[in-house]
């Protein structure tokens, strides 16, 4: 299935849970975005990554990392030492995805003023009707 529309003009992206859509959801999820952007800078240990991201729970970070690892975007390197040490880094595929996500995040930051103006105009128009 492609992202484009069917011949009848209706979008098919939401009709079926296609593999590409699942990956898109993983990459653009609340925590997926933050993990990918953080890992662009350097590999992280789990606890470092959790601190860098902020309010994410241990459970959610674990699930996010496992999902991104399964998709081939994150590499988990468990070193056989005591205490155990696990480092997370981006694969080449993950770096490519992370750069795209970061570009969208930067665009959002740069255009936030325009978004706020549009919201105000919308809210004002709604309150008058």
């Amino acid at each position: 299935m492609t992202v484009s529309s069917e011949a009848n003009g209706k979008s098919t992206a939401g009709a079926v849970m296609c593999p590409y859509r699942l990956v898109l959801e993983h990459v653009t999820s609340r925590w997926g975005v933050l993990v990918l952007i953080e890992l662009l800078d350097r590999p992280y240990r789990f606890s470092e990554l959790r601190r860098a991201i902020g309010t994410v729970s241990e459970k959610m970070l674990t699930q996010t990392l496992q999902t991104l690892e399964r998709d081939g975007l994150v590499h988990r390197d468990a070193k056989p030492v005591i205490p155990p040490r696990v480092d997370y880094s981006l694969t080449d595929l993950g770096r490519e995805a992370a750069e795209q996500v970061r570009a969208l995040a930067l665009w959002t930051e740069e255009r936030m003023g325009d978004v706020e103006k549009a919201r105000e105009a919308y809210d004002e128009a709604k309150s008058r009707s």
Side-chain angles (χ1 to χ4, degrees), residues 44-119:
Y44 278 86
R45 292 173 72 174
F46 184 88
S47 57
E48 290 178 311
L49 186 57
R50 187 168 177 217
R51 280 192 301 274
I53 290 174
T55 60
V56 64
S57 70
E58 187 173 320
K59 179 182 176 182
M60 283 308 304
L61 182 56
T62 298
Q63 287 176 351
T64 300
L65 287 166
Q66 287 173 346
T67 299
L68 295 174
E69 181 183 8
R70 183 171 184 262
D71 288 342
L73 305 177
V74 168
H75 174 71
R76 181 181 185 271
D77 183 21
K79 298 185 180 5
V81 295
I82 298 175
R85 179 183 172 123
V86 179
D87 292 314
Y88 294 92
S89 60
L90 293 174
T91 63
D92 290 341
L93 189 61
R95 181 162 295 286
E96 188 177 337
E99 287 169 353
Q100 299 296 318
V101 169
R102 181 173 59 186
L104 181 59
L106 290 172
W107 175 86
T108 304
E109 185 178 334
E110 291 168 4
R111 302 301 290 200
M112 197 59 213
D114 295 321
V115 170
E116 288 171 347
K117 286 178 191 172
R119 287 176 177 173

